[in-house]
C-alpha cells in the first residue's frame, strides 16, 4: 500500500499542477492518509469523524499540497467499488468545497468528468464511473455553492441528463437529484439558465413520472415562469389536471406506485400533483376520477397503499368541505376493508401508519372543526358497527379542548341513539357468507356501543387537555349505564336526560360494567389535575387518585351512586335488598367517620381504609350476595382498628382480632379477578403490617402449606375470569395434596380406564347376546330387519354413553388443570404480601416465622413439575428469599428475648442443610442460617464491654470492637453446629454442602474462624478421600488469608497454628505414591498452594518454625519425576522451594539441537532413492504395434557416448520399424535417424516436452522423483512379444550384476 501511495504522490494534483515536494504529504506521517481510509469505512460514525478531522487538519495546516492531494483522493473515491465509500467521499468533498470557497467548482467538475469519463472507461467499470459522476454532482450540490455558480450549475444539469441513460445502474437517482437542484434554484436562474436545457423534459412531462414531477415542482416553485400560456406551448394544455389528461395521469401514478413499492412511502410526484390540483381548483376531479375511479380499480397492493398514503398525507391540505368528501369516499371504504382483511400477523398492516398520519394532522392543526371532522370520519368507518379505528388510539391527546368536548358529546349521543346511517359501514367476504338476517342491526348497535364505551374510558387516560369536570362526566356516564336504567326523562340527573333509542340488554350492562371498573383503576392512579398551587403541591408529593381539593375520585362516585339510589325516576339494574341497603348506609357513615380522623391520625392509613371500603361498596352493585359478607367484616375491622377501646383492651385469645379478620378479607380479595381490588388490598396490607400478629401471619403462610386444612369460614374464594367458577381453599389444599402424588393418580387413572373398558366390553357383550348375534348356530342372515335395527340402536346408544363418559373425564382433567393454574396464580399473589412484609417490616421478629415456610416452598417447587408457571413461581420465591430477606440491610434488633428460639432455628436449618440430598436446596438452608447468624451477631448484648473513651473516635478501633463483640451470639453453641456440618462435609462421601458455603461463612463472620480452624487442620490428614483433603487445604488457606483472624488469636496461638498446619501438610505429602495418580493431583496442588503461603508467612514474620522435615519431604517429592511433567505442579513446587533457598536448575538444550540437526539432514535426503533401487534402464521405444516396452528392458543401460550396434541401427527391442525417425532418448542423448546428436542440455526438444510432462505427472505422485521406473505402464503381451518376454526372463539375473558394476547417470 505504501508503494501505491508513493505512486499516487508522484502524479500531478488539483487541476494538473505538479507538487513541488512530491513526498511532502507522506513526510507528515500516516495520520493524514488515515483520514481517507476512515472515510471509506462502512460505519457512519467513523466516516463523519474522519471528515471532521480532515477539515480541521486542512484548516490548521493551510498547505496547498495537502489540499490538492485531498481533492484528488476525494474525486477518485467518488467511484469506489464499495457502496459505503462513495457517499463518504461525496460528503467529505462537499464539506471541503464548503469550507474552502476559493476552490472553483468548474475545475472540480472537470476533474470528475476526466477521472470518471463514461466514454473512455472500460465496460466493466461503467457502473463505478456512473456513480462517480453522480456523487460528484451531489457533492457540488451539497456544498451549497452550486446554485450560485451558473456555469457549474449548467454543466451539472447537463451531466445529470447524460446520466439518465444509465438507468441500469443509477435507476431514477439522476432525475430525483435534478428535481432537488431545480427546487433550490432562484426563479431568475431557472428562467435564464435552466429553462432552455430543461424544456425538452418539461414538454414530455406525461411520458414518465420523473418528468411529470419536474414539471410539478417547477409549477409550484416558479409560477411566474411556467404560466398557463407557456404550459400550453409545452404540452398543449394550460392545466395539468383536466379531463383530457386523466388517463395519462392514472398510468403515470401507477408507474410511480410500483417504483416506490420497496420504500413504503408516498411518491413525491403524487403529493405534488395533489397540491397542483388544489391550486388549479380541480381537486374533486382529481380525487373522483384519478384516485377513486382510476387508481382504486387497479387491484394491486402498491397502488392501493399509495392511495391510503395519499389519503393520510392530504388531510392537512384539505378544507372542511373537502375533508368531508374524502372521509366518506371510496378510498376510506377500501382502507377499512384492507384493515379488516389483514388481521393476520403475516399480512402488511397499514393501520399503524394511518394512525401516524392522523396524529401528524391533529398535532399540526389549530382548527377544532377540522380536528373534529377527522375524528368523527374515522370513528364512523365501521365494520358491522365496530369502528376500524382502535378504541385505545392515543391520537386524542392532540385534540383541543373545544374539539375534545364536542367529540365526547358526539360519542355519548351515538351510544344513546346509534345512527348507523351516518356510518360508512362494510362487511368482509367471510362476514357476508356467514351473515344471518336475524338481529343484524342489534349486533351492530352492540358492537358500536362497546367500542364507544372503551373509547370514552381511554380518553381519560390518553387526553392531555382534560379537566376534572370532563373526567367526572365520563365516569358518571359509565357508572350510570353500567348499573342503572332511567324509567323516564329526569332533569335532576344529567345521564337520565336522554333515554336510549334502543334499550341496553343484559350483555350491554355487563360490558359497560367491565369497562367501568377499568376506568376506576385509571382514576385511582390518575395524577392530580388542575393548575392551582394546591394541585401542584399534591403532584410533587406523587399523590394519585384524588381531586385538586383532596377528595378521592371513588368517593365522588359513591356519592353519585347514593344520589341515584334515592331518585325515583331511576332504578338499579340489580336492586338492593333491605340488608344490602343497610350495609350501604353503614359503609357511607364509616367513611365519613374516617374522614374526620384523617387529620388526627395517619392520613395514608385512613386513605387506604377509605379506598378499600369505597371499592367494596362499588362492588356491591356487581356481586351483592358475596360482597355483603366481606363488607360487614370489613366494617367491623375498621371500627376495631380505629377505636381507642380496642387499643387499650387486650385481645381475647379465643376471638380473632381485627388484624386477623382483615388478613382473611385481603386474601379473599386477592383471589378476585379484579385488578383494582388486588392493588387496593396490597396497599391496605402495607398499612396493617405494623399491626400484624403471629396469627395473622400464619393465615398468610397457611396458603403455602399443602397439608393445612381450613374450614369453610376461612375459605378463600378463587375465581376464574372466563367462566367465574369459584372454589374454596379447602378444595385447593385437597387438590394440592392430590397433585403431590402424581404417579399414584396416574396409576389409579390407568386402572380405572381398564375397569371402564371391561365394563364397556361386558355391556357390549350383553347387547350382542340380547340380539342373538353371538350364537354359532345362527348367522346374520337369520335376523330380520326389525331385530337388526333394534340391535343397531342399542349399540349406538351404548357407544354414545361411552363417548359421554370419555368426554366427562376429559372435562374433569381440564377443570383440574385450570384449578391448578388458578391455585398457583393465587399463591403468587399472596407471595407479594410476604415480599411487602419482609421489605416494610424487616425489623419485626415475625420475620423469623417466615424463613422455614419459604424454604419449604422452595423445596416443594424444586420437586414439582417443571412447566413455565412452576418455574416462574420458583424464581419469584427464590428472589424474595434472597433479596428481600437474606440481602436486606435491615434486620431485627430486638433478639435478646428470643435468643434461644433463634439459636434453635439456626441449628435446625444447618441440620436440614446437611440432611438434604439436593445441593441447590441445601444452599438456601445454609444461607438462611447465615442470615440468622448475622442477626445474632448484629444485636448488641448488654454484657458487651463499652469502648474506651480515647478509642471512640478511632474508626479502626470501632471496627475491631464490632468484630470482637459477639452480640447475642452464643459462639460456643453455634460453632458446635457448624463444626458438625464441616466434619460431615470433609468425611461424608456425597455431602450436599459445598466449599463455597463455608468460605462464605468464614469471610462474612471471622468470629467463627478460630473455633473451626482446628477442624480444618485436622482433616488435612484425617479426611478419608483425596478431594476432601484438598478441600481442607483450600479452606484452611482461605481462612488464613482473612486478616481479621489475627484479632481473635494471640501471637503464640498464631505461631502454633502455622506450625501445626505445616506439620499436617508435610504428613499429607508423605502419603503420596510414587506415580502421582490423577485423584492425588488436586490434593498436591492445594497442598503446595497452602504450603507456599505458610512458608511465606514464616519467612515474612520470622516465626520460629522447624522446616527441616518439610525440606526433606519436598526433596523426596522431586525424585518422583511426576512434578516436572505438569507445568502447574512444577511452578508451584519451585515457588515453595524458593522459600527453602532452592532454585530451579536450568536445563541444557544441547541434545535437542543435535536431534534437530539429524532431522534436517533426513529431511534433505527426502525424495532421493538409494543406488540399489534406482532405475536400471530407461527405454521409451515404441513397438511396431503401438505398445510401449515393458518395465524390464532387454538391453542394458549404457554410459554416456557408448552405444551398442543395435542402438546404432535403430533396432531397439520392441521398437517401431515404420517410424525410424523417432529417436529414443538414452542417458541424455537424442537418437535421430540412427545417429546420436548430443544437445546442450542432454536431450532434444521432444525429450524436453516428455520430460516436462513426466514432471507434471510426478508432482501428483507420492513416489520419489528419481523412481521413474514405476511411472512407465506395463506393456500388454501380444503374440509378437512372446519371444522377447522369454529372453527378458533369462537375462534378468545377468542385468542385476552388471547394473552394480556400471555407473548410472541421473537426469
Amino acid at each position: 500500500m505504501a508503494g501505491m501511495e508513493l505512486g499516487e504522490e508522484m502524479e500531478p494534483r488539483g487541476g494538473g499542477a505538479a507538487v513541488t515536494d512530491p513526498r511532502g504529504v507522506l513526510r507528515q506521517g500516516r495520520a493524514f492518509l488515515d483520514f481517507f481510509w476512515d472515510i471509506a469505512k462502512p460505519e457512519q460514525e467513523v466516516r463523519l469523524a474522519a471528515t471532521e478531522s480532515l477539515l480541521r487538519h486542512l484548516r490548521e495546516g493551510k498547505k496547498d499540497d495537502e489540499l490538492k492531494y485531498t481533492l484528488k483522493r476525494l474525486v477518485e473515491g467518488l467511484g469506489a467499488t464499495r457502496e459505503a465509500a462513495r457517499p463518504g467521499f461525496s460528503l467529505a468533498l462537499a464539506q471541503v468545497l464548503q469550507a474552502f470557497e476559493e476552490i472553483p467548482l468548474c475545475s472540480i467538475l472537470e476533474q470528475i468528468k476526466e477521472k470518471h469519463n463514461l466514454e473512455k472507461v472500460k465496460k466493466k467499470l461503467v457502473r463505478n464511473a456512473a456513480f462517480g459522476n453522480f456523487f460528484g454532482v451531489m457533492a457540488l450540490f451539497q456544498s451549497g455553492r452550486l446554485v450560485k455558480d451558473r456555469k457549474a450549475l449548467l454543466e451539472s444539469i447537463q451531466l445529470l441528463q447524460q446520466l439518465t441513460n444509465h438507468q441500469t445502474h443509477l435507476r431514477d437517482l439522476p432525475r430525483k437529484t435534478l428535481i432537488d437542484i431545480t427546487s433550490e434554484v432562484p426563479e431568475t436562474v431557472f428562467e435564464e439558465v435552466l429553462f432552455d436545457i430543461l424544456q425538452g423534459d418539461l414538454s414530455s412531462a406525461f411520458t414518465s413520472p420523473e418528468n411529470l414531477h419536474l414539471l410539478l415542482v417547477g409549477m409550484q416553485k416558479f409560477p411566474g415562469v411556467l404560466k398557463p400560456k407557456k404550459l400550453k406551448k409545452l404540452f398543449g394544455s394550460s392545466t395539468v389536471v383536466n379531463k383530457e389528461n386523466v388517463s395519462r395521469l392514472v398510468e403515470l401514478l401507477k408507474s410511480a406506485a410500483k417504483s416506490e413499492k420497496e420504500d413504503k412511502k408516498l411518491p413525491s410526484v403524487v403529493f405534488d400533483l395533489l397540491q397542483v390540483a388544489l391550486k388549479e381548483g380541480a381537486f374533486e376531479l382529481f380525487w373522483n376520477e384519478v384516485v377513486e375511479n382510476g387508481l382504486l380499480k387497479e387491484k394491486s397492493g402498491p397502488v392501493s397503499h399509495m392511495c391510503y398514503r395519499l389519503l393520510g398525507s392530504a388531510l392537512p391540505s384539505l378544507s372542511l368541505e373537502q375533508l368531508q368528501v374524502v372521509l366518506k369516499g371510496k378510498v376510506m371504504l377500501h382502507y377499512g376493508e384492507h384493515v379488516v382483511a389483514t388481521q393476520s400477523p403475516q399480512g402488511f398492516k397499514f393501520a399503524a401508519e394511518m394512525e401516524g398520519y392522523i396524529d401528524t394532522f391533529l398535532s399540526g392543526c389549530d382548527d377544532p372543526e377540522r380536528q373534529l371532522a377527522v375524528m368523527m370520519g374515522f370513528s364512523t368507518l365501521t365494520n358491522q358497527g365496530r369502528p376500524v379505528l382502535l378504541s385505545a388510539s392515543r391520537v386524542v391527546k392532540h385534540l383541543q379542548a373545544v374539539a375534545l368536548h364536542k367529540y365526547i358529546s358526539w360519542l355519548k349521543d351515538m351510544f344513546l341513539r346509534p345512527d348507523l346511517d351516518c356510518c360508512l359501514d362494510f362487511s368482509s367476504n367471510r362476514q357476508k357468507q356467514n351473515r344471518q338476517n336475524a338481529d343484524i342491526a342489534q349486533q351492530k348497535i352492540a358492537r358500536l356501543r362497546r367500542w364507544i364505551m372503551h373509547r370514552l374510558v381511554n380518553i381519560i387516560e390518553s387526553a392531555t387537555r382534560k379537566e376534572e369536570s370532563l373526567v367526572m362526566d365520563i365516569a358518571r356516564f359509565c357508572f350510570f349505564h353500567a348499573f342503572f336504567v332511567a324509567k323516564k326523562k329526569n332533569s335532576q340527573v344529567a345521564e337520565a336526560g336522554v333515554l336510549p333509542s334502543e334499550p341496553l340488554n343484559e350483555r350491554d350492562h355487563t360490558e359497560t360494567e367491565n369497562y367501568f371498573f377499568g376506568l376506576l383503576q385509571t382514576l385511582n392512579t390518575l395524577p392530580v389535575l388542575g393548575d392551582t398551587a394546591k394541585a401542584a403541591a399534591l403532584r410533587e408529593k406523587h399523590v394519585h387518585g384524588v381531586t385538586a381539593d383532596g377528595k378521592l375520585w371513588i368517593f365522588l362516585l359513591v356519592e353519585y351512586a347514593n344520589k341515584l339510589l334515592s331518585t325515583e325516576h331511576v332504578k338499579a339494574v340489580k336492586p338492593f335488598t333491605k340488608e344490602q341497603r343497610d350495609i350501604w348506609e353503614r359503609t357511607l357513615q364509616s367513611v365519613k367517620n374516617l374522614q374526620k380522623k384523617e387529620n388526627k391520625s395517619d392520613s395514608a392509613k385512613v386513605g387506604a381504609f377509605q379506598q378499600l371500603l369505597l371499592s367494596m361498596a362499588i362492588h356491591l352493585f356487581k356481586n351483592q350476595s358475596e360482597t355483603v359478607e366481606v363488607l360487614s367484616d370489613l366494617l367491623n375491622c375498621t371500627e376495631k382498628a380505629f377505636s381507642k377501646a380496642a387499643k387499650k383492651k387486650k385481645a381475647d385469645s379465643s376471638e380473632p382480632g381485627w388484624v386477623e379478620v382483615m388478613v382473611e378479607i385481603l386474601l379473599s380479595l386477592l383471589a378476585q379477578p379484579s385488578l383494582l381490588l388486588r392493588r387496593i388490598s396490597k396497599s391496605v396490607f402495607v398499612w396493617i403490617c405494623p399491626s400484624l400478629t403471629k396469627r395473622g401471619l400464619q393465615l398468610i403462610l397457611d396458603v403455602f402449606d399443602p397439608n393445612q386444612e381450613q374450614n369453610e369460614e376461612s375459605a378463600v374464594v378463587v375465581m376464574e375470569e372466563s367462566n367465574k367458577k369459584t372454589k374454596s381453599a379447602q378444595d385447593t389444599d385437597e387438590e394440592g395434596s392430590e397433585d403431590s402424588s402424581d404417579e399414584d393418580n396416574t396409576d389409579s387413572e390407568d386402572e380405572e380406564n381398564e375397569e371402564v373398558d371391561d365394563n364397556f366390553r361386558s355391556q357390549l357383550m350383553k347387547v350382542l347376546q340380547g340380539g342373538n348375534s353371538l350364537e354359532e348356530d345362527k348367522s346374520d342372515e337369520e335376523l330380520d330387519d326389525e331385530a337388526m335395527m333394534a340391535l343397531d340402536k342399542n349399540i349406538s346408544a351404548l357407544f354414545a354413553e361411552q363417548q359421554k363418559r370419555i368426554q366427562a373425564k376429559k372435562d374433569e382433567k381440564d377443570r383440574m388443570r385450570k384449578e391448578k393454574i388458578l391455585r398457583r396464580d393465587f399463591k403468587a399473589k399472596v407471595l407479594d404480601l410476604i415480599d411487602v412484609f419482609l421489605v416494610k417490616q424487616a425489623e419485626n421478629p415475625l420475620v423469623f416465622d417466615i424463613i422455614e415456610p419459604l424454604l419449604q416452598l422452595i423445596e416443594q417447587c424444586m420437586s414439582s413439575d417443571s412447566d413455565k408457571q412452576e418455574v416462574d413461581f420458583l424464581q419469584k420465591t427464590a428472589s424474595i428469599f434472597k433479596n428481600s430477606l437474606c440481602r436486606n440491610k435491615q434486620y431485627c434488633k430486638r433478639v435478646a428475648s428470643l435468643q434461644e428460639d433463634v439459636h434453635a432455628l439456626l441449628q435446625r436449618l444447618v441440620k436440614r442443610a446437611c440432611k438434604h440430598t439436593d445441593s441447590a436446596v441445601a444452599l438456601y438452608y445454609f444461607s438462611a442460617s447465615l442470615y440468622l447468624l448475622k442477626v445474632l451477631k448484629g444485636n448488641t448484648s448488654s454484657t458487651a464491654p463499652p469502648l474506651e473513651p480515647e478509642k471512640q473516635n478511632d474508626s479502626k478501633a470501632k471496627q475491631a470492637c464490632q468484630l470482637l463483640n459477639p452480640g447475642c451470639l452464643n459462639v460456643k453453641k453455634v460453632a458446635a453446629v457448624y463444626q458438625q456440618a464441616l466434619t460431615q462435609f470433609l468425611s461424608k462421601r456425597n455431602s450436599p454442602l459445598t466449599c463455597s458455603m463455608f468460605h462464605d461463612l468464614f469471610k462474612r463472620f471471622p468470629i467463627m474462624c478460630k473455633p473451626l480452624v482446628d477442624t480444618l487442620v485436622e482433616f488435612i490428614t484425617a479426611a478419608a478421600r483425596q478431594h476432601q483433603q484438598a478441600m481442607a487445604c483450600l479452606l484452611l488457606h482461605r481462612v488464613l488469608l482473612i486478616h481479621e483472624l489475627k484479632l481473635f488469636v494471640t501471637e503464640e496461638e498464631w505461631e502454633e497454628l502455622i506450625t501445626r498446619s505445616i506439620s499436617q501438610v508435610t504428613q499429607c505429602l508423605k502419603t503420596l505414591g510414587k506415580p502421582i495418580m490423577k485423584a492425588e493431583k488436586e490434593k498436591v496442588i492445594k497442598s503446595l498452594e497452602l504450603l507456599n503461603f505458610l512458608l511465606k508467612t514464616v519467612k515474612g514474620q520470622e516465626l520460629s518454625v522447624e522446616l527441616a522435615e518439610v525440606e526433606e519431604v519436598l526433596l523426596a517429592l522431586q525424585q518422583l519425576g511426576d512434578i516436572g511433567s505438569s507445568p502447574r505442579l512444577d511452578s508451584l513446587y519451585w515457588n515453595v522451594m524458593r522459600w527453602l533457598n532452592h532454585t530451579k536448575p536450568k536445563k541444557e538444550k544441547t541434545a535437542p539441537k543435535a536431534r534437530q540437526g539429524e532431522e534436517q539432514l533426513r529431511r534433505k535426503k527426502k525424495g532421493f532413492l538409494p543406488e540399489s533401487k534406482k532405475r536400471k534402464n530407461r527405454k521409451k521405444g515404441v513397438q511396431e504395434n503401438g505398445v510401449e516396452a515393458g518395465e524390464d528392458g532387454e538391453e542394458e543401460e549404457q554410459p554416456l557416448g557408448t552405444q551398442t550396434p543395435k542402438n546404432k541401427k535403430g533396432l531397439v527391442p520392441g521398437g517401431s520399424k515404420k517410424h525410424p525417425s523417432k529417436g529414443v532418448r538414452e542417458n541424455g542423448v537424442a537418437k535421430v535417424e540412427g545417429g546420436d546428436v548430443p544437445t546442450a542440455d542432454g536431450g532434444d526438444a521432444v525429450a524436453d516436452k516428455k520430460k516436462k510432462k513426466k514432471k507434471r505427472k510426478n508432482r501428483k505422485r507420492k513416489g520419489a522423483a528419481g523412481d521413474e521406473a514405476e511411472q512407465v505402464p506395463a506393456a500388454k503381451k501380444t503374440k509378437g512379444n512372446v519371444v522377447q518376454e522369454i529372453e527378458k526372463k533369462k537375462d534378468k539375473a545377468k542385468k542385476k550384476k552388471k547394473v552394480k558394476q556400471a555407473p548410472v547417470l541421473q537426469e
Side-chain angles (χ1 to χ4, degrees), residues 1148-1157:
E1148 298 181 0
K1149 299 182 179 180
T1150 55
K1153 288 183 178 179
R1155 293 178 183 176
Q1156 186 176 2

Side-chain angles (χ1 to χ4, degrees), residues 412-478:
K412 293 195 295 184
D413 186 61
M414 285 290 288
F415 183 87
L416 296 173
R417 294 177 295 184
D419 186 8
L420 298 178
D421 296 333
C422 72
C423 296
L424 192 62
D425 195 76
F426 63 92
S427 300
S428 63
N429 295 330
R430 182 176 298 178
Q431 290 171 344
K432 291 177 182 178
Q433 295 174 0
N434 300 332
R435 175 181 294 178
Q436 298 178 359
N437 296 328
D439 297 335
I440 187 67
Q442 294 294 332
Q443 292 179 8
K444 289 182 178 181
I445 292 174
R447 287 164 62 89
L448 179 61
R449 281 176 170 170
R450 199 177 306 134
W451 183 90
I452 290 174
M453 191 56 63
H454 192 199
R455 174 77 275 182
L456 288 172
V457 171
N458 187 262
I459 283 176
I460 295 180
E461 184 179 357
S462 303
T464 55
R465 296 181 177 90
K466 53 180 178 286
E467 303 170 356
E468 288 187 357
S469 59
L470 183 67
V471 173
M472 194 61 200
D473 185 34
I474 295 176
R476 288 170 57 159
F477 182 83
C478 296

Side-chain angles (χ1 to χ4, degrees), residues 808-819:
K809 286 184 178 181
K810 291 182 180 178
D811 296 341
E812 182 66 18
K813 287 183 180 179
D814 189 52
R815 186 184 67 83
M816 295 289 291
R817 181 184 60 81
K818 290 182 178 179
E819 288 181 355

Side-chain angles (χ1 to χ4, degrees), residues 113-273:
K113 292 180 180 179
E114 182 180 355
K115 182 63 182 177
H116 307 287
N117 195 333
L118 291 170
E119 297 178 357
K120 298 181 181 180
V121 73
K122 296 181 180 179
K123 188 176 181 179
K124 63 180 181 179
L125 298 178
V126 171
R127 176 182 173 85
N128 296 343
F131 273 107
N133 285 280
F134 171 72
F135 279 105
V137 177
M138 285 292 296
L140 300 180
F141 177 55
Q142 291 175 351
S143 67
R145 298 171 50 194
L146 185 61
V147 180
K148 303 175 184 178
D149 193 336
R150 296 194 174 189
K151 182 180 179 181
L153 176 63
L154 182 62
E155 293 181 1
S156 299
I157 296 296
Q158 292 174 347
L159 181 58
L160 287 175
Q161 288 178 336
Q162 295 176 9
L163 293 176
T164 54
N165 299 325
H166 298 274
Q167 292 185 358
T168 307
H169 308 299
L170 301 178
R171 295 184 181 179
D172 56 349
L173 290 176
R175 284 290 182 186
K176 290 183 177 180
T177 307
L178 193 149
I179 294 170
D180 293 338
I181 295 175
T182 304
S183 61
E184 299 293 333
V185 172
E187 188 171 356
T188 55
V189 176
F190 176 78
E191 185 177 7
E192 297 173 0
V193 179
L194 300 183
F195 182 74
D196 293 335
I197 60 174
L198 295 178
Q199 190 171 0
D201 297 333
L202 294 175
S203 60
S204 59
F206 292 99
T207 58
S208 66
E210 292 78 13
N211 291 342
L212 177 62
H213 192 198
L214 179 63
L215 173 65
L216 297 174
V217 170
M219 291 177 64
Q220 294 179 76
K221 296 291 183 180
F222 318 111
V225 179
L226 297 176
K227 297 179 181 180
K229 294 182 180 179
K230 191 165 290 186
L231 293 178
K232 194 169 184 179
K233 291 181 180 179
L234 288 174
F235 50 83
S237 61
S238 59
T239 58
V240 176
V241 182
N242 50 48
K243 293 183 179 180
E244 292 77 10
N245 296 335
V246 166
S247 59
R248 291 190 291 178
L249 290 175
V250 170
E251 295 300 325
L252 290 176
L253 295 184
K254 288 180 182 179
S255 176
K258 294 175 182 177
S259 64
E260 298 284 350
K261 177 176 60 174
E262 297 179 357
D263 296 335
K264 293 183 180 180
K265 64 179 182 180
L266 180 69
S268 302
V269 62
V270 183
F271 186 75
D272 289 335
L273 184 59

Side-chain angles (χ1 to χ4, degrees), residues 535-702:
L538 290 174
R539 280 196 294 270
E540 291 180 359
K541 295 179 181 179
H542 302 285
V543 178
H544 299 283
V546 299
T547 59
D549 55 358
K551 291 183 179 181
L552 292 170
W553 284 104
I554 193 171
F555 176 72
L556 298 178
L557 288 173
V558 169
E559 283 186 335
Y560 175 68
N562 192 39
K563 178 183 177 182
L564 293 178
L565 289 174
S566 60
T567 304
E568 297 179 357
H569 303 291
V570 175
K571 68 174 182 178
V573 177
K574 299 177 183 179
F576 284 177
T577 61
K578 187 178 183 304
E579 180 186 3
Q580 295 164 358
R581 187 61 186 265
D582 292 341
I583 203 74
W584 171 265
E585 298 294 341
R586 281 185 59 194
T587 304
L588 292 182
Q589 186 61 38
S590 179
V591 170
K592 291 179 181 179
N593 295 334
L594 288 176
Q595 290 177 351
K596 294 177 182 179
K597 298 177 182 180
E598 191 169 1
N599 297 327
K600 299 179 181 179
S601 59
D602 194 351
S603 60
K605 182 179 179 181
V606 172
F609 274 89
Q610 279 189 63
Q611 276 199 340
L612 185 57
L613 286 171
L614 294 171
S615 299
M616 294 308 301
I618 291 292
H619 274 76
L620 195 61
F621 291 95
K622 184 177 182 180
N623 296 323
Q624 298 173 350
S625 59
E626 298 175 1
T627 310
V628 166
E629 298 178 1
V630 178
L631 198 53
S632 178
D633 295 338
L634 185 58
L635 288 172
N636 296 331
C637 292
T638 306
E639 292 174 0
K640 292 179 181 179
F642 290 94
S643 63
K644 297 179 180 179
K647 296 179 182 178
K648 295 179 181 179
K649 183 176 64 174
K650 292 183 179 180
D652 188 5
S653 59
S654 61
E655 182 182 356
W658 68 270
V659 177
E660 288 84 358
V661 179
M662 180 63 77
V663 168
E664 291 184 357
I665 294 172
L666 295 180
L667 289 176
S668 64
L669 295 181
L670 283 178
Q672 301 291 329
S674 174
L675 177 63
L676 172 65
L677 287 180
R678 294 201 298 269
R679 290 187 176 178
I680 293 176
S681 301
K682 191 174 179 179
S683 62
V684 171
F685 182 77
V686 172
W687 296 109
I688 69 171
C689 276
S691 305
L692 190 64
T693 61
K694 193 168 185 177
R695 291 175 60 183
L697 179 62
Q698 191 61 40
L699 290 174
I700 299 175
L701 297 176
D702 287 342

